[in-house]
Amino acid sequence: MTTARKYKVPAGVKCQVEGVNIRVTGPKGQQERNIRHPQISVTCDENDVIISTESGRKANIAMVGTLAAHVKNMCIGVTDGFEYHMKVVYSHFPIQLKLQGEKLEIANFLGEKKPRYARIEKGVTAKVSTDEVVISGINKESVGTTAANIEIATKIKDRDPRVFQDGIYTTRKV
């Protein structure tokens, strides 16, 4: 029993399989990912990426779908990119944001004296305004991880979340 998924590569995008890695190149840049998995083969031609397995095991069939989704996200990333919009919400103390290289400094959160920090992943750009943070990049996982790092950095502990709703929250994903 053969299970296969075929993904049509968009125009202007080039895919290459080199050993256990797949490289996707497009107008916004290049991504590379390790796709090594036993009993699963990945092949590229000019227009299609084919992920297949001869195994009938559920785990291998599921991994075929997972790898197909990764290839699709890589192709979308190098053509359009990913962008998360996050809203800065405060009612008690105004939050001050500063970009410091690979970190976002969150100062005056709930009136705290020490600032909190959120790590910005490699390859991700962040733009900060007074009430919004925009995170963008070509790797969906890195952009999502950066947004999660910012939300986790502003997590409220030891207070009633119904009263203290301050924080930085994801509002839109593009």
Side-chain angles (χ1 to χ4, degrees), residues 14-78:
K14 187 174 149 192
C15 288
Q16 295 174 309
V17 175
E18 298 168 351
V20 295
N21 292 329
I22 186 166
R23 179 179 292 142
V24 178
T25 308
K28 288 204 174 220
Q30 173 179 301
Q31 289 191 58
E32 191 168 324
R33 183 181 191 94
N34 184 327
I35 52 168
R36 184 185 70 77
H37 197 276
Q39 300 179 342
I40 293 180
S41 66
V42 179
T43 57
C44 275
D45 60 16
E46 281 189 29
N47 299 327
D48 296 316
V49 176
I50 300 162
I51 300 130
S52 62
T53 183
E54 296 292 325
S55 173
R57 291 187 60 216
K58 285 183 181 180
N60 290 336
I61 293 169
M63 187 54 73
V64 167
T66 300
L67 292 177
H70 286 316
V71 170
K72 176 184 170 194
N73 286 335
M74 290 170 74
C75 290
I76 291 170
V78 296

Side-chain angles (χ1 to χ4, degrees), residues 8 17 27 46 53 56 70 76 79 104 123 145 157 166 169 171 174:
K8 182 139 180 73
V17 175
E46 281 189 29
T53 183
H70 286 316
I76 291 170
T79 54
L104 175 68
T145 301
K157 300 176 184 107
D166 300 21
Y169 303 103
T171 56
V174 182

